[in-house]
Amino acid sequence: MYSVEWQKRGLPHAHILVWLIDKISPEEIDSIISAEIPDPSTDQLLFDIVTTNMIHGPCGNLNRSSPCMADGKCTKSFPKHFTNYTITNVDGYPIYRRRNTDNGGQSFTKNVNNADIDIDNRWVVPYSPLLSKTFNAHINVEFCSSVKSIKYICKYVNKGSDMAAFRIENTNVNAPPVNNNDEITLYQIGRYISSNEAVWRIFGFQIHERDPAVIHLAVHLENGQRVFFTNETAIDRAINPPKTTLTEFFVLCNRADAFGAFARKLLYSEVPQYFTWAQTKKWMPRNTPNDACPGLFKSKTLGRVFTVNPRQTECFYLRLLLVNVTGPLSFQDIRKVNGQQYPTYKDACLALGLLEDDNQWDCMLTEAGLNCTAIQIRLLYAIVLTTCFPARADTLWDNHKDSMTDDILHRHRTRLNDQTITFSDAMYNEALIAIEDICIVIANLPLSHFGIHSPNRSATTSMNTEVNRELQYNIAEMAAIITRNVPLLTEEQRTIYDRIMLAVSAGQGGFFYFFGCTRGNWQNIPHFANSRQNTIK
């Protein structure tokens, strides 16, 4: 892939990114890319080319007026440091070998501002000896070892020509004066296009190009393709949804001719090599000769299946099947493995062995159960669900639900003072509710999204902490307190008491609000003893 751009002086230069079939190993970099001055005794031609075209500056203290200087420093970080070995950098370009003269490095003298300066390997721009000798030009070659390096070239495809701010003046001396504070009137912003770039564009020469061509392949669930419609076309679009590369791939595999038989041997991503996506929304045979199938031709076009986030579970597993299963006939057929039809794409992936087992997550939760609290284990499990996408989340829950519910069991044993109580479905349900709450906070997804049965939210009343706290009193003791204190109530207090008790005994419910009531005789009644402002519902 390449992109051509022009400097403001009108000089064009190209940014080219090349992918190699055989990857370059770190020990091979020095044989392809060099950042050292050649030995003139062995290769005088390369020495002349490098010293003429591939020397930066010099700048810094040697030349303060160099164009690369900003705030007293070189914007290109020259001079570089001496190093005897090339070091691959995880984030960026490698640190190329630059030996000093004591370790075999070369140097030469260059006249800068009427002064002779000794230039060594610290000032050499990385180059390829082959390309430099072939073109005798400034060709900076770098080894792209990270995503940032690739982004550097990709951004030039879309950035466009250089921006320019220019001022508009009225040359008519008799014209009325213009408000000098009106910057909108005085200045305009546009694109700077030199005469050379203008001629290049007029003749229609390529500015950006990518080879080979790449076709994006759609991924969507059945009847899940994107549809554009209006009020008038909504019904028609629902009955006749638009064709996509995926739906037409199924149509192609269902053809009864030789093309269909050959397509059933292809992966979804391999189809663009032999078929082209026509404007008629169909896969049409290519016209480049190919020996694989008589009458069918091949090109070097690449098919790229759109990326799907694992949170889109079924669509993610459908994509996994499409890049591993050849010639599926339909959305249902791709879920068939060894003659057995599976209900979900995930189950089909498991049957084909395309998913890793959850042994690492199982071991992690087992270890956490030995030294972590139940709250911490529930949080860990929720993080695994929302970020690691285990294959069998329900199995992990079944294996570790006791350790995730241990605190709930302890709380009930303490409240009822009964150590014989064991785990119950209600306790597991409360733990699932706590886990689901965490999943919603992290990813806004319920447990059903991960293949786990949703907890029964309506059953939480019996497990509610506040309800349990209110129920922790002796009924006989409470009856005695009421019998002893009700006759001591004032007339206004007795009216309120009778009204509340009537609503409770009749099952009518109600909403009662007390503000600033005195503690008085109410202090012995648990409902009113802890606050001067109470609400009872």
Side-chain angles (χ1 to χ4, degrees):
M1 182 174 68
Y2 74 81
S3 175
V4 180
E5 69 170 1
W6 283 259
Q7 298 172 347
K8 288 184 172 59
R9 291 174 293 172
L11 301 177
H13 61 282
H15 300 267
I16 306 173
L17 183 63
V18 179
W19 283 268
L20 301 180
I21 296 178
D22 297 326
K23 295 183 179 180
I24 301 176
S25 61
E27 58 270 13
E28 295 175 328
I29 295 179
D30 290 337
S31 63
I32 301 174
I33 302 174
S34 176
E36 294 186 320
I37 300 171
D39 187 353
S41 62
T42 58
D43 198 335
Q44 182 65 43
L45 175 61
L46 183 60
F47 175 84
D48 294 338
I49 295 174
V50 171
T51 54
T52 303
N53 300 295
M54 305 307 299
I55 302 300
H56 176 83
C59 57
N61 294 329
L62 301 177
N63 185 9
R64 291 287 182 180
S65 61
S66 178
C68 64
M69 295 294 291
D71 299 327
K73 296 181 180 179
C74 175
T75 57
K76 308 300 180 183
S77 300
F78 279 91
K80 306 291 185 179
H81 296 290
F82 286 119
T83 177
N84 293 328
Y85 304 98
T86 296
I87 303 173
T88 56
N89 197 346
V90 176
D91 189 10
Y93 299 121
I95 300 175
Y96 301 102
R97 182 180 65 183
R98 298 173 185 272
R99 293 171 293 183
N100 58 28
T101 54
D102 296 334
N103 292 321
Q106 302 293 324
S107 66
F108 71 99
T109 302
K110 183 178 181 179
N111 185 276
V112 178
N113 296 332
N114 298 321
D116 291 335
I117 298 175
D118 186 55
I119 303 297
D120 51 32
N121 288 334
R122 294 177 299 168
W123 302 98
V124 178
V125 177
Y127 64 93
S128 169
L130 174 63
L131 295 177
S132 294
K133 293 180 71 174
T134 301
F135 296 99
N136 189 12
H138 174 86
I139 304 177
N140 177 208
V141 180
E142 302 275 4
F143 177 67
C144 295
S145 56
S146 72
V147 174
K148 285 188 176 181
S149 305
I150 297 176
K151 284 174 62 178
Y152 172 77
I153 175 65
C154 290
K155 72 178 183 180
Y156 282 96
V157 175
N158 300 306
K159 84 178 188 67
S161 302
D162 289 339
M163 297 290 293
F166 54 92
R167 178 176 175 175
I168 300 177
E169 294 183 353
N170 192 343
T171 58
N172 187 359
V173 294
N174 298 323
V178 180
N179 183 7
N180 293 330
N181 295 326
D182 189 355
E183 294 185 356
I184 297 178
T185 303
L186 290 177
Y187 295 95
Q188 298 293 329
I189 296 179
R191 296 284 184 176
Y192 176 86
I193 298 179
S194 65
S195 57
N196 290 346
E197 182 178 358
V199 171
W200 191 283
R201 291 177 179 271
I202 290 173
F203 282 100
F205 297 149
Q206 290 285 349
I207 295 178
H208 309 297
E209 191 172 356
R210 179 175 57 189
D211 183 76
V214 178
I215 293 182
H216 291 155
L217 303 176
V219 180
H220 57 81
L221 298 175
E222 188 173 8
N223 294 325
Q225 58 264 52
R226 181 173 295 178
V227 178
F228 299 92
F229 62 91
T230 61
N231 292 334
E232 294 76 17
T233 62
I235 297 178
D236 178 66
R237 289 302 179 93
I239 297 175
N240 302 305
K243 300 176 182 178
T244 66
T245 56
L246 179 57
T247 58
E248 288 304 299
F249 174 52
F250 295 144
V251 173
L252 178 62
C253 292
N254 279 286
R255 290 178 60 168
D257 54 11
F259 292 158
F262 183 76
R264 288 190 286 273
K265 301 177 183 179
L266 300 176
L267 294 172
Y268 184 34
S269 58
E270 295 174 338
V271 174
Q273 296 182 22
Y274 303 92
F275 300 87
T276 179
W277 183 245
Q279 293 182 351
T280 56
K281 302 293 184 181
K282 291 183 180 180
W283 287 111
M284 303 297 293
R286 291 193 176 275
N287 55 6
T288 306
N290 171 41
D291 297 332
C293 178
L296 188 63
F297 306 106
K298 181 181 180 180
S299 73
K300 55 183 179 180
T301 303
L302 301 178
R304 287 288 181 262
V305 184
F306 276 108
T307 303
V308 179
N309 193 296
R311 292 181 180 178
Q312 299 174 266
T313 51
E314 280 301 276
C315 193
F316 173 79
Y317 295 120
L318 170 61
R319 183 188 187 277
L320 188 59
L321 291 172
L322 287 171
V323 297
N324 287 279
V325 177
T326 58
L329 304 178
S330 63
F331 288 101
Q332 294 75 29
D333 182 68
I334 201 172
R335 297 199 303 265
K336 187 180 294 184
V337 180
N338 297 327
Q340 181 178 351
Q341 184 74 36
Y342 287 89
T344 65
Y345 300 110
K346 181 178 181 179
D347 292 332
C349 290
L350 287 170
L352 287 172
L354 300 178
L355 299 179
E356 296 181 357
D357 58 34
D358 296 333
N359 182 59
Q360 54 183 336
W361 311 125
D362 189 70
C363 294
M364 180 187 66
L365 292 173
T366 300
E367 182 179 352
L370 300 176
N371 49 30
C372 295
T373 64
I375 295 177
Q376 293 173 327
I377 301 174
R378 288 197 294 266
L379 174 60
L380 182 61
Y381 180 61
I383 293 174
V384 170
L385 290 180
T386 53
T387 61
C388 303
F389 312 104
R392 289 295 188 186
D394 53 342
T395 303
L396 287 177
W397 162 252
D398 291 336
N399 293 340
H400 303 280
K401 60 184 179 181
D402 288 350
S403 61
M404 298 186 213
T405 319
D406 184 65
D407 62 329
I408 300 174
L409 173 64
H410 175 73
R411 187 172 70 243
H412 283 271
R413 285 177 174 177
T414 303
R415 179 177 65 83
L416 299 176
N417 195 22
D418 185 357
Q419 297 300 314
T420 62
I421 297 177
T422 59
F423 292 102
S424 64
D425 292 338
M427 296 180 189
Y428 293 141
N429 185 76
E430 183 179 358
L432 284 175
I433 291 176
I435 294 171
E436 187 173 61
D437 290 342
I438 299 175
C439 292
I440 291 175
V441 170
I442 296 176
N444 197 28
L445 294 172
L447 286 181
S448 58
H449 181 83
F450 307 102
I452 303 176
H453 292 296
S454 297
N456 183 9
R457 292 276 178 174
S458 61
T460 59
T461 303
S462 60
M463 304 296 295
N464 187 278
T465 303
E466 295 299 322
V467 174
N468 289 332
R469 182 178 65 81
E470 291 294 330
L471 294 176
Q472 293 179 23
Y473 60 87
N474 187 289
I475 298 179
E477 219 177 277
M478 177 61 66
I481 293 175
I482 293 176
T483 302
R484 185 172 60 253
N485 287 281
V486 166
L488 303 179
L489 298 175
T490 64
E491 182 178 353
E492 185 180 6
Q493 292 172 342
R494 185 59 184 264
T495 301
I496 297 173
Y497 173 78
D498 290 340
R499 182 174 299 178
I500 294 174
M501 294 306 299
L502 177 63
V504 173
S505 60
Q508 298 174 349
F511 188 82
F512 304 91
Y513 180 71
F514 296 86
F515 179 76
C517 58
T518 58
R519 294 173 66 90
N521 294 327
W522 298 77
Q523 61 184 348
N524 294 323
I525 302 179
H527 287 295
F528 306 106
N530 296 324
S531 176
R532 297 189 61 189
Q533 180 174 330
N534 304 279
T535 302
I536 300 178
K537 189 174 182 181

